[in-house]
Amino acid sequence: KGAYGLRARWRARKVLEALSSTSQGVGLLTSSAASESLSDALARTRGAVEKTQAVNVQNIDQRIGLIRGLILKGAVDSEVRADALAVLTRKVRTQDGVVWRVPPKNWHAEANALYHAMTDPKSPMAVRYTRDPVGTDLFTSARKSKKLRGEDCDGMVVRLAAMLRSVGYEVDLLVIQAKGATTWSHIFLRVPAPSTGSDGGKGEGKRGTDESILLYGGALVLDPTMPQHGPGWEPPGLTEVLRYGKPSGIVTKARVYRV
């Protein structure tokens, strides 16, 4: 356990050094994250693609089982935890002195920070929504998806959920069948409010979506495939379908799975 902690802190320090883009060392974005040659991108993705697992999924329970296994494995991966720590342990200088940019024990602020680190295209941790090959389900580990930078909803959920669990947060998996679809068509996350160790505050994010987080049943809904809506957005009709079991809005069916 001690060795694991040392490795995680060492990786976090290295990632923090890469993330620093201002004189104060508090910026999330780097110029290199916004510009990459095609040859560099090919070198980055080639090894990860060769090890990606392709599975012929038979039903939703099998799909969730595979996703849950990847999340649990990623949550104890020292590199995944180091990435999460890099986001959460940055400091900023204010008129009152140096403070943590993400307030400790503030679950809204921490979940927000991890969400934006993964969905902002300028972030070195960003993952772009990209469909799987036709007729094939690809299931990628949280570590490999960072190198690929392209995942569908399954892969993006694995990456974000693993980072959240690596710093102490339970996550629920929400799956829906959208109106017009013939099968389960989308998956995203719900982070339940922690029972202890949190002040329940929303934090003070700079974006409007951060300042007006939408709560769902004492939890925060996170859909990394919809960054234009931000944290708290949920498909119209989801609440009604979960509550009454009848189609509503764009949602026909919905299920909740605890990781």
Side-chain angles (χ1 to χ4, degrees):
K1 183 176 180 180
Y4 167 82
L6 289 173
R7 288 197 301 271
R9 287 194 292 272
W10 181 83
R11 290 180 181 276
R13 185 168 64 251
K14 293 300 182 183
V15 176
L16 276 170
E17 292 172 359
L19 286 172
S20 299
S21 61
T22 66
S23 58
Q24 291 81 14
V26 298
L28 170 65
L29 312 179
T30 64
S31 57
S32 60
S35 178
E36 181 181 31
S37 68
L38 180 57
S39 59
D40 288 342
L42 287 171
R44 167 175 52 79
T45 60
R46 186 175 294 112
V49 171
E50 291 172 353
K51 298 178 182 179
T52 298
Q53 180 183 9
V55 180
N56 182 19
V57 175
Q58 301 297 322
N59 54 59
I60 186 60
D61 291 331
Q62 182 185 5
R63 178 186 294 274
I64 294 300
L66 290 167
I67 292 172
R68 180 187 282 125
L70 289 170
I71 291 172
L72 294 176
K73 182 179 179 180
V76 294
D77 185 322
S78 60
E79 183 173 317
V80 174
R81 176 171 164 82
D83 289 343
L85 291 176
V87 176
L88 301 181
T89 59
R90 292 173 295 146
K91 298 178 182 180
V92 60
R93 186 177 301 278
T94 69
Q95 293 180 346
D96 298 324
V98 177
V99 299
W100 298 110
R101 185 167 183 175
V102 181
K105 297 185 179 182
N106 186 317
W107 70 285
H108 287 148
E110 292 187 350
N112 266 356
L114 293 174
Y115 176 91
H116 288 307
M118 183 175 155
T119 59
D120 190 327
K122 296 178 182 177
S123 167
M125 297 182 188
V127 177
R128 176 186 182 273
Y129 176 77
T130 309
R131 294 181 177 86
D132 283 342
V134 175
T136 304
D137 286 299
L138 298 180
F139 296 88
T140 310
S141 71
R143 178 187 287 210
K144 292 174 187 172
S145 66
K146 178 185 175 183
K147 296 180 180 179
L148 291 173
R149 296 186 190 172
E151 294 288 347
D152 68 348
C153 56
D154 294 343
M156 297 186 81
V157 159
V158 167
R159 172 71 179 170
L160 182 56
M163 286 198 295
L164 286 162
R165 282 188 64 91
S166 77
V167 291
Y169 290 102
E170 296 286 350
V171 295
D172 296 330
L173 303 177
L174 297 172
V175 292
I176 65 169
Q177 180 175 322
K179 187 177 180 179
T182 58
T183 185
W184 300 101
S185 53
H186 190 45
I187 183 170
F188 48 103
L189 296 178
R190 187 175 70 181
V191 182
S195 56
T196 59
S198 172
D199 62 5
K202 293 184 179 180
E204 296 181 359
K206 293 183 178 180
R207 302 187 182 187
T209 53
D210 292 350
E211 298 170 352
S212 56
I213 295 174
L214 301 176
L215 292 179
Y216 172 77
L220 178 63
V221 175
L222 298 173
D223 187 342
T225 73
M226 303 293 284
Q228 67 271 31
H229 294 298
W233 181 87
E234 62 181 52
L238 174 65
T239 300
E240 291 75 13
V241 173
L242 289 175
R243 183 173 299 167
Y244 303 114
K246 298 180 180 180
S248 179
I250 67 170
V251 182
T252 302
K253 296 191 296 185
R255 287 185 187 177
V256 181
Y257 292 85
R258 173 59 58 89
V259 175

